[in-house]
Every structure is written in C-alpha cells, then in structure tokens.
Amino acid sequence: MKLQDVLLLSSRIRCSKGKVVWLQTSQMAGGATAPPADLMDTVPGYEGMGTGGKDLPPPYHGLPEPQVPTPNQPNRDWQIPSISEEVAQEAFMEYASSKCCYSKKPAKEMYFTDLQSHNTYRYRLETFTESRSTEWASEPYRGQVVDGYMGVAPGPWDIAVSSPAMFQNNRKEVPIPHTSSVKGCHACLGLGRSACPKCVTSGMMQCWVCRGAGRRVSDDRCSHCNGIGRVRCTSCSGAGSETCKTCQGKGKLLCFIKLIVKWKNNVHESVVDKQSGLPTEHISKVTGEIVFSDMQYLVYPVVGFPDNAINQASARAVREHQVQFSSTCRILQQKQTIELIPVTRVHYSWKGKTHIYFVYGAEHRVFTEGYPAKCCCCLLL
C-alpha cells in the first residue's frame, strides 16, 4: 500500500480494540488532546474516570465550630448624617456635566427644600473554594520518563498543590504521578504525518485562475496551470501530507491523567432596602464605610447587629454557602463584612416645581429619574 493510501486511511479511521470506527470531520481537523478513553490503561483509583472533567468531592473530615462574632462597639450610632447642601449641589453639577444633553441651569439655580438621610447596609459574604477534577491529557513523546509502572498513583486530593492568594480566582494543571504511558498517536496511526486536508494526499488542487477548466474565458489555454486545470497544493507544497499536529511528527504520545485545580471566590451580597426610592442595584456600584469584618476558615452568622435584617441576611447566606460548597469542593476561607452606604434623598425646587434626586456612596454618585432640563434630542428618545 502506498504512503498516500495509508495517510488517507489514517485520516478516516482508527482502530479501537479490534473495531474499526469512522472519525467525524471535526476530529480529523482538530485532533484530540489525548487518545479516546477506551484506549487508555486502567489506573488503580481512577477506573471510573471515563473522559473526566467532573469535579471530585473532597474527603470529609468534619467541620470545625466557628467562633460566634459580635459586631464591636455595640453602643455606636450606626448612622452617617446627611450630606451638606454644598456637597449635594456639587454632586448634581458633576452629574449634569457628565450628560451631553443636560442643561446645568437646574443645578445652578435650584434651592433645597429637604435633605433626608436614608443610609443603608450592604452585607457581603465571600467563600473561597478549591475544586479538583481529572481528565486524560497527552503530549508528543520525546523520550520523557514514563512512570506508569513505578508506583501507585495518589488520589486527586492527596496531591499537594500550593494555593494562590486568598479570595482571588486561579487555576492550575498538574500531571498526576504514576499515570503516564506511551501510546501510538491516534490521529495519524503512528505515522507522524497526516493527510493534507486541502488536497487529500494528491498534492494537487484546483487551479484558482481557470477553476479547473484548463482554459480561460477567451478559450486560450490557462497559463497558470498550463492547461492541466490543477496546480501544486499551497497547503502542503505538493507533498500530499503534513506533519501531524497532535504528535508533532513523533508518531507517539505520552499519555497521563491531568489534575485540574480551580480556586474561586464565591460572593453573596445583600442590601437592606430602606424604601428610599433608590433602586438597590445602584448600591452594588459604590463603596461605603466598613463597620464590621470577620474572617475565619468558616464564619458564623452575624448576631446582635442593630439592624436585624442584616442578621437574617447573614444567617441565610452562611447556610446557603455551606450547603452549596461543603460537599462539592473544599472551603479554604470565608470572609463577611457589613458596609454602611450613605444615601441622601434630596428635594429641591426649580422654576416653581419640586424634584428629587439621590446622592449615594462615598463617591457621591447621583441618580434621578427625571432631570428637568434636557435638550430636544433627549426628549425624542
């Protein structure tokens, strides 16, 4: 059998335990990262892995009892006074200046009728978790050490992997010791070369000038292909094959089980709605003053906070995170904070009409549903 025939055959089929399986076009083009799982050796402890990719639950060693936190300074007045008229007017001026179609006259000419403090709290729970999964992987075999028969492969949670900085998402991939073996490349059947997908081993392709006719529109012989209608393949330079992308021409693969470790910071936020009229979704975009912070391996729900809605939000969030993450991944650290967000509802009058806007957050952001002086282009929207 000629090499071109073998390459053509290798691009269409693979052998699997005596069976002939036709490959799909997508498999021919891309190439898998490792041979199919049914071609892999059985590794003790990883028998039911299959193709892998699923998160593996960590071993259960019991959960320690967290310390009960109590917000310090229990007698403190947890209120921030409303902002001054000067600060409210300056924030409104900056807001109007940021809008190309808003006139600054209301901000300059208005007079205040009332400033109301509607300070609110934001509770935030962060649970930093580590999850682990395994899958088969491969790389071209260049004489690396093969350790598949040198010992027993450790379990996925028995492998020491250094953790990154706390509360920052990260990912690492680590080869599992004593799982590697050498296999013939499944993509090229060990040949090191694969059929050119453009010419399919012929080394020739249709002439783009005459579109395979051999002649031009004027019925003259095509000078580009000398009337043949075909030219040398530009992809493989006429060879009919190209270096296998999976094994990079080596014909063999070092196959092993790869451990994938993911660290994720899972965040829950809850805002106490003081019914001020300011949509609560705006609160998540600003900062305030942190009045309580607690960080432990496992935190205990906040108790004794002056606003009972925060106590309830904390109990609900801690319970939900423990149920969600304790059985599927390892909790490394938890952190909870209570933040006091300043919110001032401003009532003002301009041209005999009363209007309202909000100044909120340490950044003094402004929100209003109806600015009284817009140009025509805004009114048409």
Side-chain angles (χ1 to χ4, degrees), residues 33-266:
T33 57
D38 56 356
L39 298 180
M40 296 291 96
D41 296 335
T42 300
V43 179
Y46 295 86
E47 294 88 352
M49 189 181 74
T51 55
K54 297 181 180 179
D55 289 343
L56 305 171
Y60 182 77
H61 298 298
L63 299 176
E65 283 295 327
Q67 297 179 355
V68 180
T70 301
N72 53 5
Q73 303 178 4
N75 298 323
R76 172 182 173 179
D77 182 11
W78 299 95
Q79 291 293 320
I80 298 176
S82 60
I83 59 178
S84 65
E85 293 183 357
E86 291 77 12
V87 173
Q89 186 170 23
E90 181 181 353
F92 206 37
M93 284 284 292
E94 291 182 2
Y95 172 76
S97 300
S98 67
K99 308 292 184 179
C100 65
C101 300
Y102 283 19
S103 170
K104 298 179 184 178
K105 286 187 177 181
K108 292 179 179 179
E109 301 172 357
M110 68 178 178
Y111 66 90
F112 297 99
T113 58
D114 191 16
L115 276 75
Q116 302 174 357
S117 176
H118 291 272
N119 300 323
T120 188
Y121 299 106
R122 176 172 60 204
Y123 172 79
R124 180 183 177 96
L125 173 64
E126 300 177 63
T127 301
F128 189 55
T129 60
E130 175 184 330
S131 61
R132 298 191 175 195
S133 60
T134 57
E135 64 181 37
W136 282 103
S138 68
E139 60 185 38
Y141 179 64
R142 299 184 177 90
Q144 302 96 309
V145 175
V146 182
D147 64 357
Y149 301 98
M150 295 182 179
V152 179
W157 286 98
D158 297 328
I159 301 173
V161 181
S162 58
S163 301
M166 286 291 178
F167 305 105
Q168 294 183 13
N169 295 345
N170 210 325
R171 174 189 172 107
K172 285 185 181 180
E173 297 182 358
V174 181
I176 297 179
H178 310 305
T179 63
S180 64
S181 61
V182 176
K183 301 291 182 184
C185 179
H186 59 290
C188 65
L189 298 184
L191 298 174
R193 300 188 67 81
S194 56
C196 175
K198 197 167 187 177
C199 68
V200 195
T201 74
S202 68
M204 304 292 287
M205 57 183 288
Q206 186 184 74
C207 175
W208 62 270
V209 176
C210 65
R211 298 184 179 179
R215 294 186 175 276
R216 297 176 180 270
V217 178
S218 60
D219 207 31
D220 294 333
R221 188 176 69 171
C222 177
S223 58
H224 185 71
C225 63
N226 293 323
I228 301 175
R230 298 174 67 80
V231 294
R232 178 181 293 182
C233 178
T234 56
S235 180
C236 64
S237 300
S241 64
E242 57 186 12
T243 302
C244 177
K245 296 179 181 178
T246 302
C247 67
Q248 297 181 9
K250 302 301 179 181
K252 295 181 179 180
L253 296 173
L254 180 69
C255 302
F256 54 91
I257 298 177
K258 176 174 62 177
L259 175 67
I260 303 172
V261 186
K262 299 176 186 177
W263 293 273
K264 185 177 180 181
N265 190 33
N266 305 274

Side-chain angles (χ1 to χ4, degrees), residues 11-31:
S11 68
R12 301 250 181 116
I13 63 172
R14 66 172 172 85
C15 296
S16 173
K17 297 182 180 180
K19 300 178 181 179
V20 176
V21 182
W22 289 92
L23 293 177
Q24 301 297 324
T25 305
S26 58
Q27 292 176 289
M28 294 168 56

